[in-house]
Amino acid sequence: MVAAPVKQKYDIKDINLAPLGHQRIEWAGREMPVLKQIRERFAQEKPFAGLRLVACCHVTTETAHLAIALKAGGADAVLIASNPLSTQDDVAACLVANYDIPVFAIKGEDNDTYHRHVQTALDHRPNIIIDDGSDVVATLVKERQHQIADLIGTTEETTTGIVRLQAMFKDGVLSFPAMNVNDADTKHFFDNRYGTGQSTLDGIIRATNILLAGKTIVVAGYGWCGKGVAMRAQGLGANVIVTEINPVPAIEAAMDGFRVMPMAEAAKEGDIFITVTGNKHVIRAEHFASMKDGAIVCNSGHFDIEIDLKSLASQATEVKDVRNFTQQYTLPSGKSVIVIGEGRLVNLAAAEGHPSAVMDMSFANQALACEYLVKNKGQLQPGLHSIPREVDQEIARLKLQAMSIQIDSLTPEQVEYINSWTSGT
Ligand code: ADE
């Protein structure tokens, strides 16, 4: 296929940050042995030779390793940010300066710049899109139908993006294959749960430097992310309340030992509120009104819609910065509400996102999902596809190996037993 080079070479904060980015990328690599093995194989086999690829991800040290692996595999790759506040500017600089990967991402970019970068990425005329939240794919479908012929397929990282793709499929506009990376066991069990669990609290602690022990933490949503956040908050000595709209996870939360109640009740009790639902306005005007003075509110779901910040801002008599990424809104009652990271992903806005060890598996899935799309070009139906079970299992095996953990294997007698139905009581 003929390359259609992007017009501007890159759009980053400061190319001089490259040495710091290089040092931090190297550090992250210590915890990413699975992706390293994949990169080494890609360098030999060049599965993406001649293909244009767009990755719309949080531009972090871990994403750097994914981009480097794809480039090693022959991809003509362009990287853009999947969130205006999540870019690590030193990483963006290093990818441009040391790896010749065009990056369009600046921490704190405004929404117009964010959308301009999405357009720049699509100007690259991608054959493969790696998306995180589905903004590139949705823009392609809405505005660039004529480019769909170029596309082999897409991969999607996160639950929110999968929900959008499902809606596109229902509306009959998803006319190409999309790999559901989030669905892989080696992704959501670890990234969504342990990754979000640790990095969300990391973001809150870095932003506020408060003690979590003894605080009442309200976790809105008890999916994999909510489970991780609640578990880790409890581990640090917080009293955890869970809010849910779905009866089954609500029972799970109760049986995991958490108090479960509606947000209207939880609002009065919480010291810290963390939204991880994927839905909008989970915390809104009536909740702010009943919160304690100085309550801290943040979001770890993909989009900045979970907290109704517009209503908070419209009520506030004063808004001021109190620490990095932390603002205090004073209400007419005299009480204040503290918001971290403008309601955007707190783990990436105020910390460094999920630790490398979990992103190792998430991005191994991404890399192998791209390879699967290429190997099966023209064979896959439009719509969502799971990561093949063998791929998921292989990633788990490689991770265990890297962790020096050995496990048992079935004896021939056990194999026979689980494959037969004849013996019972
Ligand atoms: N999503 C959450 N954490 C991340 C990280 N460290 N890198 C890329 N994407 C992420």
Side-chain angles (χ1 to χ4, degrees):
M1 288 178 198
V2 184
V6 289
K7 289 178 213 122
Q8 192 190 352
K9 276 199 87 155
Y10 55 84
D11 190 15
I12 60 172
K13 183 165 182 212
D14 181 0
I15 195 80
N16 297 312
L17 296 170
L20 176 61
H22 192 252
Q23 191 184 43
R24 293 199 322 105
I25 291 168
E26 297 256 293
W27 177 257
R30 293 169 177 234
E31 291 272 283
M32 303 186 78
V34 178
L35 191 58
K36 177 169 181 254
Q37 287 191 46
I38 293 169
R39 185 194 73 219
E40 287 166 356
R41 180 171 64 74
F42 280 0
Q44 299 291 320
E45 297 177 7
K46 304 280 178 207
F48 309 118
L51 295 177
R52 295 183 301 272
L53 186 147
V54 160
C56 175
C57 299
H58 303 295
V59 179
T60 64
T61 51
E62 293 76 26
T63 298
H65 283 280
L66 174 63
I68 293 164
L70 296 165
K71 180 151 183 175
D76 173 8
V78 166
L79 176 62
I80 63 167
S82 59
N83 185 296
L85 259 193
S86 62
T87 298
Q88 298 171 4
D89 292 313
D90 55 340
V91 170
C94 175
L95 287 174
V96 171
N98 299 38
Y99 293 95
D100 199 23
I101 295 174
V103 181
F104 298 82
I106 302 170
K107 188 169 177 102
E109 64 195 22
D110 59 20
N111 281 354
D112 287 347
T113 308
Y114 176 83
H115 290 295
R116 184 160 45 77
H117 289 161
V118 171
Q119 294 294 345
T120 304
L122 286 171
D123 289 345
H124 191 50
R125 299 192 71 93
N127 308 116
I128 301 170
I129 297 171
I130 296 177
D131 222 348
D132 186 338
S134 216
D135 276 347
V136 176
V137 170
T139 308
L140 176 80
V141 167
K142 276 192 274 190
E143 300 174 21
R144 301 216 189 183
Q145 279 286 322
H146 60 284
Q147 279 186 227
I148 290 178
D150 291 341
L151 201 65
I152 297 172
T154 73
T155 71
E156 173 53 53
E157 171 82 0
T158 200
T159 319
T160 294
I162 296 300
V163 170
R164 285 180 94 183
L165 289 169
Q166 282 163 342
M168 282 182 217
F169 189 70
K170 200 162 107 276
D171 283 352
V173 295
L174 188 64
S175 56
F176 42 83
M179 300 300 295
N180 185 346
V181 168
N182 187 61
D183 186 46
D185 287 350
T186 48
K187 200 280 184 179
H188 66 263
F189 282 161
F190 304 98
D191 172 314
N192 303 29
R193 182 170 39 173
Y194 305 118
T196 310
Q198 178 168 321
S199 62
T200 298
L201 300 183
D202 185 15
I204 295 169
I205 293 167
R206 290 197 206 192
T208 62
N209 196 28
I210 58 162
L211 181 74
L212 301 188
K215 298 286 193 307
T216 297
I217 298 190
V218 179
V219 179
Y222 205 65
W224 288 110
C225 295
K227 287 180 174 64
V229 172
M231 172 177 40
R232 293 305 187 233
Q234 188 180 48
L236 284 171
N239 300 302
V240 177
I241 296 174
V242 170
T243 70
E244 249 302 335
I245 48 93
N246 195 334
V248 175
I251 301 171
E252 267 186 292
M255 294 202 178
D256 284 344
F258 303 118
R259 286 196 294 154
V260 179
M261 62 183 77
M263 184 59 83
E265 294 304 313
K268 298 177 214 157
E269 294 204 32
D271 299 304
I272 301 169
F273 295 80
I274 304 166
T275 54
V276 267
T277 70
N279 215 327
K280 69 186 292 192
H281 296 178
V282 176
I283 299 183
R284 44 188 185 268
E286 72 253 33
H287 303 131
F288 295 126
S290 57
M291 284 179 187
K292 294 180 194 170
D293 184 27
I296 295 171
V297 175
C298 63
N299 165 55
S300 214
H302 185 80
F303 286 120
D304 59 341
I305 44 152
E306 305 210 14
I307 303 167
D308 185 0
L309 273 189
K310 275 205 185 113
S311 83
L312 182 62
S314 71
Q315 288 173 50
T317 52
E318 188 192 26
V319 182
K320 66 174 183 192
D321 290 342
V322 282
R323 280 174 66 92
N324 282 345
F325 310 115
T326 307
Q327 294 184 308
Q328 174 174 304
Y329 290 71
T330 306
L331 298 176
S333 63
K335 289 194 297 187
S336 66
V337 174
I338 310 293
V339 179
I340 310 176
E342 300 168 21
R344 297 193 190 276
L345 283 159
V346 66
N347 59 342
L348 283 141
E352 293 171 70
H354 301 349
S356 315
V358 290
M359 295 314 295
D360 188 28
M361 289 187 281
S362 306
F363 285 162
N365 275 292
Q366 283 288 6
L368 297 180
C370 291
E371 186 183 36
Y372 182 80
L373 282 171
V374 174
K375 281 193 172 152
N376 293 282
K377 182 179 169 190
Q379 311 293 315
L380 300 171
Q381 294 297 315
L384 278 160
H385 295 262
S386 292
I387 302 293
R389 191 169 157 70
E390 315 82 73
V391 172
D392 209 356
Q393 294 270 301
E394 181 58 14
I395 292 171
R397 260 192 297 274
L398 291 173
K399 190 71 180 175
L400 274 179
Q401 207 177 61
M403 294 167 84
S404 303
I405 296 173
Q406 267 126 41
I407 58 171
D408 289 324
S409 47
L410 294 172
T411 64
E413 184 193 21
Q414 288 170 329
V415 172
E416 193 187 329
Y417 178 77
I418 50 162
N419 286 308
S420 71
W421 56 271
T422 47
S423 50
T425 310

